[in-house]
Amino acid sequence: MRFQQLNEQLAYVSKCRLEMARLYARLHSAVDSSRVKLMLEYLQQHEKEVSQKIDDYIEEAPNRLLELWYNDIVFEDFIKRCQDVIPAANMNEDDLLELHLDLDNRLIGLFEKTAESSVPGDVKNALNDLVRVEKIQQQRLVHSSLRMEDI
Protein backbone atom coordinates (compact mmCIF):
# COMPACT_ATOMS: atom_id res chain seq x y z
CA MET A 1 0.00 0.00 0.00
CA ARG A 2 1.27 3.45 -0.90
CA PHE A 3 0.52 6.47 1.26
CA GLN A 4 0.52 10.00 -0.02
CA GLN A 5 -0.86 11.97 2.92
CA LEU A 6 -0.37 11.53 6.64
CA ASN A 7 -4.12 11.32 7.26
CA GLU A 8 -4.32 8.30 4.89
CA GLN A 9 -1.58 6.57 6.82
CA LEU A 10 -3.15 7.26 10.20
CA ALA A 11 -6.54 6.02 9.00
CA TYR A 12 -4.92 2.85 7.69
CA VAL A 13 -3.06 2.22 10.96
CA SER A 14 -6.36 2.67 12.81
CA LYS A 15 -7.91 -0.01 10.57
CA CYS A 16 -4.88 -2.23 11.16
CA ARG A 17 -5.34 -1.92 14.91
CA LEU A 18 -8.99 -2.97 14.55
CA GLU A 19 -7.89 -5.89 12.40
CA MET A 20 -5.47 -6.93 15.13
CA ALA A 21 -8.40 -6.84 17.59
CA ARG A 22 -10.40 -9.09 15.23
CA LEU A 23 -7.43 -11.43 14.98
CA TYR A 24 -7.21 -11.66 18.75
CA ALA A 25 -10.95 -12.41 18.91
CA ARG A 26 -10.47 -15.25 16.41
CA LEU A 27 -7.54 -16.60 18.38
CA HIS A 28 -9.54 -16.33 21.62
CA SER A 29 -12.15 -18.75 20.33
CA ALA A 30 -9.47 -21.22 19.22
CA VAL A 31 -6.96 -21.38 22.08
CA ASP A 32 -7.21 -23.70 25.05
CA SER A 33 -5.12 -21.88 27.65
CA SER A 34 -7.01 -19.64 30.06
CA ARG A 35 -3.92 -17.42 30.47
CA VAL A 36 -3.66 -16.92 26.73
CA LYS A 37 -7.38 -16.14 26.58
CA LEU A 38 -6.87 -13.52 29.28
CA MET A 39 -4.01 -11.95 27.35
CA LEU A 40 -6.07 -12.00 24.16
CA GLU A 41 -8.94 -10.19 25.89
CA TYR A 42 -6.52 -7.53 27.08
CA LEU A 43 -4.93 -7.17 23.63
CA GLN A 44 -8.33 -6.92 21.93
CA GLN A 45 -9.35 -4.09 24.21
CA HIS A 46 -5.96 -2.39 23.88
CA GLU A 47 -6.06 -2.42 20.07
CA LYS A 48 -9.59 -1.02 20.01
CA GLU A 49 -8.52 1.80 22.34
CA VAL A 50 -5.44 2.60 20.24
CA SER A 51 -7.59 2.67 17.09
CA GLN A 52 -10.03 5.05 18.76
CA LYS A 53 -7.20 7.32 19.92
CA ILE A 54 -5.86 7.50 16.37
CA ASP A 55 -9.34 8.32 15.06
CA ASP A 56 -9.68 11.03 17.72
CA TYR A 57 -6.32 12.47 16.71
CA ILE A 58 -7.37 12.57 13.06
CA GLU A 59 -10.48 14.53 14.08
CA GLU A 60 -8.58 17.01 16.25
CA ALA A 61 -5.26 17.50 14.46
CA PRO A 62 -4.72 20.56 12.29
CA ASN A 63 -5.32 19.95 8.59
CA ARG A 64 -1.90 21.37 7.75
CA LEU A 65 -0.34 18.38 9.52
CA LEU A 66 -2.73 15.73 8.25
CA GLU A 67 -2.50 16.88 4.64
CA LEU A 68 1.28 16.64 4.40
CA TRP A 69 2.36 14.74 1.30
CA TYR A 70 4.91 11.95 1.16
CA ASN A 71 6.46 10.45 -1.95
CA ASP A 72 7.86 7.06 -1.02
CA ILE A 73 5.92 5.61 1.89
CA VAL A 74 4.98 2.05 0.96
CA PHE A 75 3.68 -0.55 3.40
CA GLU A 76 2.69 -4.18 3.23
CA ASP A 77 -0.90 -5.43 3.19
CA PHE A 78 -1.05 -5.63 6.97
CA ILE A 79 -4.74 -6.52 7.09
CA LYS A 80 -4.13 -9.57 4.91
CA ARG A 81 -1.21 -10.54 7.15
CA CYS A 82 -3.57 -10.55 10.16
CA GLN A 83 -6.22 -12.48 8.26
CA ASP A 84 -3.67 -15.11 7.21
CA VAL A 85 -2.74 -16.01 10.80
CA ILE A 86 -3.96 -19.52 11.52
CA PRO A 87 -5.26 -20.05 15.06
CA ALA A 88 -3.64 -22.86 17.04
CA ALA A 89 -5.31 -24.40 20.08
CA ASN A 90 -1.93 -24.98 21.74
CA MET A 91 -0.77 -21.35 21.50
CA ASN A 92 1.03 -20.31 24.69
CA GLU A 93 1.81 -16.92 26.19
CA ASP A 94 5.21 -16.70 24.49
CA ASP A 95 3.71 -17.51 21.08
CA LEU A 96 1.10 -14.82 21.53
CA LEU A 97 3.59 -12.26 22.75
CA GLU A 98 5.86 -13.01 19.79
CA LEU A 99 2.96 -12.61 17.34
CA HIS A 100 1.80 -9.38 18.94
CA LEU A 101 5.27 -7.84 19.03
CA ASP A 102 5.86 -8.77 15.39
CA LEU A 103 2.62 -7.08 14.30
CA ASP A 104 3.12 -4.11 16.60
CA ASN A 105 6.71 -3.59 15.41
CA ARG A 106 5.56 -3.52 11.80
CA LEU A 107 3.18 -0.63 12.56
CA ILE A 108 5.79 1.16 14.64
CA GLY A 109 8.23 0.71 11.75
CA LEU A 110 5.78 2.45 9.44
CA PHE A 111 5.71 5.47 11.75
CA GLU A 112 9.52 5.41 12.04
CA LYS A 113 9.84 5.35 8.24
CA THR A 114 7.41 8.26 7.95
CA ALA A 115 9.26 10.23 10.64
CA GLU A 116 12.53 9.71 8.77
CA SER A 117 10.89 11.05 5.60
CA SER A 118 9.50 14.10 7.38
CA VAL A 119 11.19 17.45 7.50
CA PRO A 120 12.20 18.54 10.99
CA GLY A 121 9.31 20.15 12.79
CA ASP A 122 5.94 19.38 14.32
CA VAL A 123 5.12 16.25 12.31
CA LYS A 124 8.53 14.65 12.74
CA ASN A 125 8.45 15.37 16.48
CA ALA A 126 4.91 14.03 16.82
CA LEU A 127 5.76 10.82 14.94
CA ASN A 128 8.94 10.31 16.96
CA ASP A 129 6.94 10.83 20.17
CA LEU A 130 4.37 8.31 18.97
CA VAL A 131 7.12 5.76 18.29
CA ARG A 132 8.58 6.38 21.74
CA VAL A 133 5.19 5.91 23.45
CA GLU A 134 4.49 2.73 21.45
CA LYS A 135 7.84 1.26 22.49
CA ILE A 136 7.20 2.10 26.14
CA GLN A 137 3.82 0.37 25.92
CA GLN A 138 5.53 -2.67 24.42
CA GLN A 139 7.99 -2.79 27.31
CA ARG A 140 5.14 -2.59 29.81
CA LEU A 141 3.30 -5.39 28.04
CA VAL A 142 6.38 -7.63 28.10
CA HIS A 143 6.98 -6.89 31.78
CA SER A 144 3.32 -7.54 32.61
CA SER A 145 3.44 -10.77 30.67
CA LEU A 146 6.53 -11.88 32.58
CA ARG A 147 4.86 -11.01 35.89
CA MET A 148 1.81 -13.01 34.82
CA GLU A 149 4.05 -16.08 34.42
CA ASP A 150 5.14 -15.69 38.04
CA ILE A 151 1.56 -15.90 39.30
Side-chain angles (χ1 to χ4, degrees), residues 34-112:
S34 58
R35 285 180 180 246
V36 174
K37 284 183 182 282
L38 186 63
M39 284 178 67
L40 285 165
E41 289 169 8
Y42 168 78
L43 291 172
Q44 280 180 65
Q45 186 61 36
H46 173 74
E47 296 307 326
K48 288 176 184 176
E49 289 173 4
V50 171
S51 175
Q52 185 59 53
K53 287 178 184 176
I54 293 171
D55 291 344
D56 292 346
Y57 180 78
I58 292 170
E59 289 292 320
E60 297 169 8
N63 283 340
R64 67 179 177 77
L65 297 178
L66 295 175
E67 294 175 353
L68 285 174
W69 284 80
Y70 292 90
N71 290 330
D72 298 322
I73 305 296
V74 179
F75 192 60
E76 68 177 294
D77 187 348
F78 188 88
I79 292 172
K80 182 175 178 352
R81 174 177 289 281
C82 289
Q83 293 169 346
D84 288 346
V85 173
I86 299 170
N90 64 346
M91 177 180 262
N92 64 33
E93 294 95 343
D94 292 336
D95 296 334
L96 175 57
L97 192 58
E98 183 179 329
L99 173 64
H100 174 73
L101 291 176
D102 176 57
L103 295 173
D104 206 35
N105 282 331
R106 290 172 188 275
L107 294 176
I108 291 171
L110 175 59
F111 285 135
E112 287 175 323

Side-chain angles (χ1 to χ4, degrees), residues 1 3 8-16 75-76 78-79:
M1 173 159 241
F3 299 104
E8 292 174 349
Q9 184 182 110
L10 291 172
Y12 183 72
V13 170
S14 176
K15 287 179 188 175
C16 290
F75 192 60
E76 68 177 294
F78 188 88
I79 292 172

